[in-house]
């Protein structure tokens, strides 16, 4: 099965066009005029092992919030559609990622139920011009629309760049593993995920 999805979202604030392939080869093409966020997104998708193309325009004269949030919405919708069109998948996974002095962890349950625990204590307000609070907004939009549970935790570190990049890499690695196809039946005692 292809496990692909193409989604668009056009509002008065943003215009997003996105294609996702869960059986990809890490072909990533991101076109968005936001500092640092494309680096985080590319890190996540690369470590998931997916293909992703995103064209995102937004009201950056306001700030990057709407664009980052809406990319999360559309990616979450595409992930849910790609999973629903394919065979059974592993469902659970976790990953620790160190990046120099930083350590982050992501634990996922691709269950059909949306929940985010985001624990990033002492994260500085910005990485360059990028507000670090937007990382949580992206992950919240992603988990809500993909209907997955994600526990995302930064354990320690100093560099805001390293802290967030490690977290996004861990999230990608855990999502990639949880979404891998499985020869087993649906990974639920109920016989269904939701």
């Amino acid at each position: 099965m292809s496990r692909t999805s193409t989604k668009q979202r056009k509002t008065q604030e943003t215009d997003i066009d996105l294609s996702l392939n869960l059986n990809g080869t890490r072909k990533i093409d991101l076109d968005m005029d936001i500092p640092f966020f494309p680096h985080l997104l590319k890190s996540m998708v690369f470590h998931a092992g997916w293909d992703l193309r995103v064209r995102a325009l937004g009201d950056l004269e306001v700030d990057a919030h709407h664009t980052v949030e809406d990319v999360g919405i559309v990616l979450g919708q595409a992930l849910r559609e790609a999973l629903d069109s394919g065979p059974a998948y592993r469902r659970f996974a976790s990953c620790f990622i160190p990046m120099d002095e930083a350590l982050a962890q992501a634990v996922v349950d691709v269950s059909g139920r949306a929940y985010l625990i985001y624990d990033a204590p002492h994260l500085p307000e910005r990485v360059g011009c990028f507000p670090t609070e937007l990382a949580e907004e992206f992950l919240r939009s992603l988990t809500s629309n993909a209907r997955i549970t994600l526990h995302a935790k930064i354990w320690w570190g100093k560099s805001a760049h390293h802290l967030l990049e490690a977290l996004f890499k861990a999230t990608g690695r855990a999502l990639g593993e949880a979404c891998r196809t499985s020869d087993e039946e649906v990974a639920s005692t109920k016989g269904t995920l939701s």
Side-chain angles (χ1 to χ4, degrees):
M1 308 246 10
S2 66
R3 302 202 316 154
T4 62
S5 177
T6 299
K7 293 284 183 188
Q8 293 83 33
R9 176 181 171 88
K10 188 166 187 171
T11 71
Q12 292 182 3
E13 298 169 339
T14 64
D15 187 352
I16 314 289
D17 184 13
L18 182 147
S19 295
L20 175 67
N21 180 0
L22 301 185
N23 298 333
T25 57
R26 296 182 165 123
K27 294 178 186 169
I28 303 166
D29 180 16
L30 306 177
D31 183 8
M32 57 185 85
D33 207 11
I34 302 171
F36 191 60
F37 177 64
H39 178 62
L40 293 177
L41 186 57
K42 182 176 183 178
S43 294
M44 186 183 89
V45 172
F46 179 88
H47 285 280
W50 302 338
D51 292 346
L52 179 67
R53 183 187 57 78
V54 180
R55 301 281 178 271
L57 298 173
D59 55 356
L60 298 182
E61 70 280 2
V62 175
D63 66 18
H65 182 102
H66 298 140
T67 307
V68 171
E69 180 180 40
D70 284 12
V71 169
I73 289 169
V74 178
L75 180 57
Q77 291 170 347
L79 177 55
R80 176 47 48 198
E81 183 174 271
L83 287 170
D84 287 347
S85 70
Y89 46 87
R90 295 182 180 179
R91 180 180 172 184
F92 299 105
S94 63
C95 182
F96 279 95
I97 292 285
M99 189 166 181
D100 296 343
E101 86 297 345
L103 181 65
Q105 177 186 24
V107 182
V108 299
D109 178 5
V110 183
S111 61
R113 293 187 308 277
Y115 207 89
L116 174 67
I117 297 292
Y118 182 84
D119 186 13
H122 314 299
L123 193 62
E125 286 187 21
R126 295 187 175 274
V127 175
C129 297
F130 180 76
T132 57
E133 68 183 17
L134 295 185
E136 182 176 7
E137 290 304 316
F138 168 77
L139 293 174
R140 187 172 317 288
S141 296
L142 175 68
T143 56
S144 294
N145 287 275
R147 298 196 318 270
I148 62 176
T149 295
L150 169 62
H151 290 242
K153 180 170 179 60
I154 293 173
W155 284 92
W156 51 69
K158 294 180 180 177
S159 163
H161 184 133
H162 291 169
L163 294 166
L164 286 176
E165 187 173 344
L167 185 63
F168 273 66
K169 285 178 177 178
T171 300
R173 186 66 66 161
L175 278 172
E177 182 63 28
C179 294
R180 285 188 199 276
T181 57
S182 172
D183 294 333
E184 299 174 6
E185 295 180 18
V186 174
S188 172
T189 56
K190 294 185 293 189
T192 185
L193 292 177
S194 63

